[in-house]
Amino acid sequence: MAVRAVRGAVQLDRDEAGHMRERVEELLTTVLERNGLTADDLISIWFTATSDLHSDFPAAAARHIGLVDVPLLCARELDVEGAMPRVVRLLAHVETELPKTRIAHVYLGAAAALRKDIAQ
């Protein structure tokens, strides 16, 4: 078993708590599904949000889908001029048998433009 990092991001349409929860839940479940992971495989997850998102913590969505014993951390993304607005990113540390080359990094919707080189 190896420790791997999985990247992901999603752009929100608007800054509303319910909408954030829906989109972050979608991102998390897609990361788990595409990598064949369960909650027990998660070591920790770091979330970042752009400075225009204030309605809720992205980690609240993880708790909402039952990730209650996974260490979670939320932080502010760098406020770079011209950067994509309303984006939540994640970096999940996981235990998996997958080699690095088989990790599926998940960039949903418009966020796929952030990492065209690794988005799947």
Side-chain angles (χ1 to χ4, degrees), residues 21-99:
R21 184 178 66 235
E22 290 171 4
R23 296 306 313 266
V24 174
E25 286 176 5
E26 177 186 10
L27 177 61
L28 285 166
T29 57
T30 304
V31 164
L32 294 174
E33 289 170 2
R34 289 190 187 171
N35 289 286
L37 301 169
T38 68
D40 288 338
D41 299 319
L42 296 170
I43 297 170
S44 63
I45 305 173
W46 281 48
F47 293 95
T48 64
T50 52
S51 61
D52 50 3
L53 295 175
H54 308 278
S55 61
D56 204 355
F57 295 100
R63 299 288 182 231
H64 188 256
I65 63 170
L67 301 180
V68 296
D69 60 354
V70 177
L72 307 173
L73 182 67
C74 295
R76 177 70 59 210
E77 188 69 32
L78 292 174
D79 190 14
V80 176
E81 188 173 324
M84 185 179 289
R86 300 177 315 281
V87 175
V88 174
R89 291 171 173 84
L90 69 75
L91 176 63
H93 299 97
V94 303
E95 291 180 317
T96 181
E97 296 291 340
L98 292 174

